[in-house]
Amino acid sequence: MKSIASRQNPWFKRVHDAVREHAEEIVIEGPKAVGDAIAAGWTPIAVIRAQGAEGGGKEIVFSDELFRAVSDTRTSQGVLALFRRPQNADVFAKNGIVVALDGVQDPGNVGTIVRLAAAFDAAGVVLLPGCADAYSPKAIRASAGAILSVPIAAVSHLDAPGRPLFYADSHGETIAPPKNAVLVLGSEGSGVSEEIRRHGRAIGIATSGRVESLNVAAAAAILLWQAFR
């Protein structure tokens, strides 16, 4: 199959836009990740491979130069796929703790927390304003496939009637969050918003005091494990 080599090609523009904007369409990279998405019931709009990568069938082939331009990894395996972005899920539909992220700007942390949500059987993840997108390439990669199974919703405000609200804070009580709670995690710099502080209960993690705070993903791992246990 002849490879696409022009940056003006509509397929290249479409994939490039999805990598950069991840608005209506998203990109998943790597043969295993793409295969896992398809096995989970996701239907690809297109599968793209680099000119030198193994493949066949109906894949679209990009020249090595074009593939590098849309690849988000340093050592790409030469396969990616374009998918429709999942719609906001009902993260409160099932039992289990709900994780809400408030201003967590690092997509690596967001993806890692999605992975932790899967590991500790959380009901889902809510993204409040100021958060990195869970469907950005870096966040997808950091989730290690968990993005396929964890319900995710981006919302303008937190509305969780009937569930107790807790937020992580270094000065909070060292108690385990209950399994039906909403657990809010904020950025390392500013923590959670004042609105969350007014309506929630601070929960902390006992440490030696040799560090001022924990990375948000590390705090999420400890608190979600406590709720799961």
Side-chain angles (χ1 to χ4, degrees):
M1 181 181 293
K2 185 177 179 180
S3 66
I4 294 170
S6 171
R7 290 177 178 262
Q8 302 307 311
N9 182 275
W11 276 115
F12 173 78
K13 290 182 176 181
R14 190 169 176 178
V15 173
H16 186 266
D17 287 347
V19 169
R20 183 180 56 189
E21 299 171 5
H22 30 91
E24 295 182 3
E25 297 175 345
I26 64 172
V27 168
I28 293 179
E29 186 170 353
K32 184 180 185 306
V34 170
D36 287 347
I38 294 171
W42 291 33
T43 302
I45 298 167
V47 177
I48 293 94
R49 65 178 174 87
Q51 187 172 8
E54 292 185 8
K58 298 182 179 180
E59 293 109 328
I60 296 169
V61 180
F62 281 2
S63 69
D64 289 342
E65 179 185 353
L66 288 196
F67 196 92
R68 284 194 298 271
V70 293
S71 173
D72 193 58
T73 61
R74 291 183 178 180
T75 56
S76 172
Q77 293 177 284
V79 177
L80 58 81
L82 188 69
F83 294 90
R84 297 198 185 283
R85 181 189 176 98
Q87 298 299 308
N88 273 2
D90 183 358
V91 299
F92 301 103
K94 61 175 283 191
N95 294 327
I97 194 167
V98 171
V99 184
L101 304 183
D102 186 11
V104 178
Q105 297 178 345
D106 184 339
N109 281 335
V110 170
T112 298
I113 293 170
V114 170
R115 185 180 186 183
L116 291 166
F120 298 116
D121 203 25
V125 175
V126 174
L127 304 177
L128 291 164
C131 278
D133 186 4
Y135 291 105
S136 70
K138 185 175 180 181
I140 290 173
R141 191 166 66 251
S143 80
I147 198 79
L148 302 174
S149 60
V150 174
I152 296 170
V155 300
S156 59
H157 65 281
L158 189 59
D159 184 14
R163 287 179 180 255
L165 181 64
F166 291 81
Y167 65 90
D169 185 275
S170 59
H171 302 294
E173 301 173 78
T174 54
I175 57 173
K179 288 187 176 180
N180 68 330
V182 177
L183 173 64
V184 186
L185 299 152
S187 66
E188 287 185 69
S190 56
V192 300
S193 67
E194 286 301 319
E195 182 180 3
I196 297 294
R197 292 180 183 277
R198 284 197 302 269
H199 294 95
R201 179 179 176 183
I203 188 170
I205 299 168
T207 68
S208 68
R210 294 172 63 187
V211 295
E212 184 176 347
S213 64
L214 295 176
N215 168 274
V216 64
I222 295 168
L223 293 172
L224 289 175
W225 172 76
Q226 289 177 337
F228 180 74
R229 184 185 61 171

